[in-house]
Amino acid sequence: NNNNNNNNHNNDDNGGEDDDEGCTDRLLCPLRKGVGTKSANLGFLASPTVLGRTTQPHSLSAEFGYNLSPVGFAVPFALYDEIMRHNPRVGGALRALVDFEEGNASAAGLGDAGRTRAALVTAAQDAIYSATIPPEWMRSIRKKIAHVLPNGSDKVKFRSSANAEDIANFDGAGLYDSFTGRVSAASHKKCHRVATGGEDPSDDAKPKMKPKTLECALLGVFASLWNLRAVAERSYARIRHSSAVMGAAVLPAYTQDDGSDGDIVVNAVVLTRVTIANVMGYQLSIQAGDNTVTNPDPGTLAENTIAIVGDPSQPPSFSTLQYATTSPHTAPRTAPLLNTTQLGELVRIALRVEQRYCESVASYAMRDETGESYGCESVASWPGKTRALDMEFKLYANGHWLCKQVREFTASDGISS
């Protein structure tokens, strides 16, 4: 991130990203305020003591022989701020929407108020699609793509990284959108969002931006901060819309870190606390192919497997509670999707991430009745565990795992979606 500034966007008790009290990592904590928790956490994963890179001796990626997290960089909140300030139509449309929400919070989704909200959302997003990104920013982004992403990267994914997601008591899962653009694409046409399903275009599950330029992909991410469901959820959670800002994590859009395409064997979500049984360990939700756990195809169900993690030096044991239904046209499976070796690799990666997160964020630690903190090395087997991490993984046909996201939530959040 070559363009970070000191815009912190701190909010009141009902604002977006907080002051990260208890976050002690000198890199992770300040980044959350400049680029959002999602981007900051991706940077955390790439740290040498967490997963690192294959080029870093003694890192877990070096041990596995391939990079365990995606390469990329962050676009900071500063660009969003600049676009809002230098495009008067955008500023006016957002002020109208925010003023309406703050004045009608209790009834904004009902009757005439609901229709007014939808119209204001459409106007705000349309204004952002028409906005101009300062040329110096796009030059910097293109230069960074050429320098950071693998040689020849043309398809680039911009993932949302807002200050109103992945925060305490509000994970914001599924509220914002990610879009793919092409380095080689050029167009003077206005950016617009194309719905691919769903009753409301502003709430479509898998939208696309056209034309497929980098600029349109980035504006699509910024506009998704004002998706209809995102506005409704923030209002319900009493998060101030006026303090919400958006950044982006910029990653390769192909399926593997070395730049090659590859078949996806499974998608998996690891919850580092068991919510469906009274045991200590990890909860694994696994689905076949490119069908995701977080946004599954209709009529499919993920496999639920419990990993019992006791002594970190010993391999975990596994118990499958529910086999996957991989298609609405087939019966549930009668065997796990992964073998014990693959499950062991998944847990080993997740355990390393949680151990290092525990060391970096002081508020994550638990204490016994005497006030003594439990050790982070045994974090997977803490008794009465109330904090947890939610991690998303892909496993490719070549046997390579990729940890694509990590977020924190508390016991009251239940299973993150």
Side-chain angles (χ1 to χ4, degrees), residues 6-331:
N6 293 321
N7 290 350
N8 288 342
H9 300 280
N10 293 331
N11 308 318
D12 60 14
D13 291 340
N14 295 321
E17 192 166 350
D18 59 23
D19 292 328
D20 280 314
E21 183 179 355
C23 188
T24 54
D25 188 272
R26 64 183 179 85
L27 174 64
L28 174 63
C29 310
L31 278 180
R32 287 178 172 177
K33 296 184 174 71
V35 300
T37 302
K38 185 181 293 180
S39 289
N41 284 355
L42 285 170
F44 172 76
L45 290 175
S47 300
T49 59
V50 186
L51 301 181
R53 299 296 183 211
T54 55
T55 54
Q56 296 165 331
H58 312 299
S59 71
L60 196 60
S61 286
E63 290 185 36
F64 273 72
Y66 58 90
N67 287 332
L68 292 166
S69 66
V71 296
F73 63 94
V75 174
F77 296 151
L79 175 55
Y80 178 88
D81 275 350
E82 192 161 339
I83 290 174
M84 300 307 109
R85 290 198 307 268
H86 290 87
N87 290 271
R89 181 186 168 198
V90 175
L94 289 181
R95 279 192 296 273
L97 174 56
V98 170
D99 288 347
F100 173 79
E101 288 297 318
E102 292 180 351
N104 299 272
S106 61
L110 305 175
D112 289 342
R115 288 185 284 275
T116 300
R117 169 192 273 173
L120 290 171
V121 162
T122 298
Q125 292 190 313
D126 190 62
I128 294 175
Y129 297 149
S130 301
T132 300
I133 300 176
E136 62 272 18
W137 277 93
M138 288 311 304
R139 286 194 294 269
S140 179
I141 290 170
R142 288 178 177 273
K143 182 178 179 181
K144 200 74 172 177
I145 289 171
H147 176 69
V148 174
L149 302 192
N151 292 335
S153 293
D154 185 45
K155 290 179 66 178
V156 177
K157 187 151 193 175
F158 292 84
R159 297 190 64 194
S160 65
S161 185
N163 68 338
E165 63 178 332
D166 298 340
I167 58 176
N169 301 317
F170 190 81
D171 63 22
L175 296 184
Y176 313 119
D177 298 319
S178 300
F179 294 102
T180 299
R182 289 187 176 272
V183 174
S184 60
S187 176
H188 296 293
K189 294 181 179 179
K190 176 190 169 184
C191 301
H192 63 282
R193 175 177 172 140
V194 179
T196 59
E199 296 180 1
D200 189 324
S202 70
D203 259 353
D204 185 60
K206 296 179 180 179
K208 295 181 180 180
M209 289 297 296
K210 295 291 184 72
K212 299 293 287 185
T213 61
L214 299 181
E215 291 85 350
C216 287
L218 189 51
L219 289 173
V221 170
F222 288 163
S224 75
L225 184 65
W226 304 101
N227 283 346
L228 188 61
R229 192 161 71 91
V231 172
E233 291 289 336
R234 288 201 302 269
S235 288
Y236 181 79
R238 301 182 65 188
I239 292 176
R240 293 193 318 173
H241 296 286
S242 57
S243 62
V245 287
M246 180 67 79
V250 186
L251 310 168
Y254 43 69
T255 57
Q256 292 188 203
D257 192 56
D258 63 2
S260 63
D261 291 326
D263 292 333
I264 297 171
V265 177
V266 301
N267 277 280
V269 169
V270 176
L271 186 64
T272 63
R273 185 179 66 85
V274 179
T275 65
I276 55 179
N278 188 25
V279 296
M280 293 178 289
Y282 287 178
Q283 186 169 308
L284 318 178
S285 300
I286 306 167
Q287 185 53 277
D290 203 22
N291 186 13
T292 64
V293 174
T294 54
N295 187 23
D297 295 336
T300 63
L301 287 173
E303 173 187 310
N304 281 325
T305 293
I306 303 301
I308 308 300
V309 185
D311 184 347
S313 66
Q314 299 298 316
S317 59
F318 301 98
S319 176
T320 299
L321 306 184
Q322 172 181 282
Y323 294 121
T325 300
T326 60
S327 168
H329 309 296
T330 60

Side-chain angles (χ1 to χ4, degrees), residues 294-368:
T294 54
N295 187 23
D297 295 336
T300 63
L301 287 173
E303 173 187 310
N304 281 325
T305 293
I306 303 301
I308 308 300
V309 185
D311 184 347
S313 66
Q314 299 298 316
S317 59
F318 301 98
S319 176
T320 299
L321 306 184
Q322 172 181 282
Y323 294 121
T325 300
T326 60
S327 168
H329 309 296
T330 60
R333 288 174 56 89
T334 57
L337 288 162
L338 301 176
N339 60 43
T340 302
T341 299
Q342 293 168 321
L343 290 170
E345 290 176 341
L346 176 59
V347 170
R348 184 185 177 200
I349 299 166
L351 178 59
R352 171 65 67 88
V353 174
E354 189 180 26
Q355 288 170 336
R356 299 301 172 258
Y357 191 90
C358 172
E359 293 170 356
S360 299
V361 181
S363 61
Y364 193 80
M366 284 184 62
R367 301 181 184 276
D368 62 22

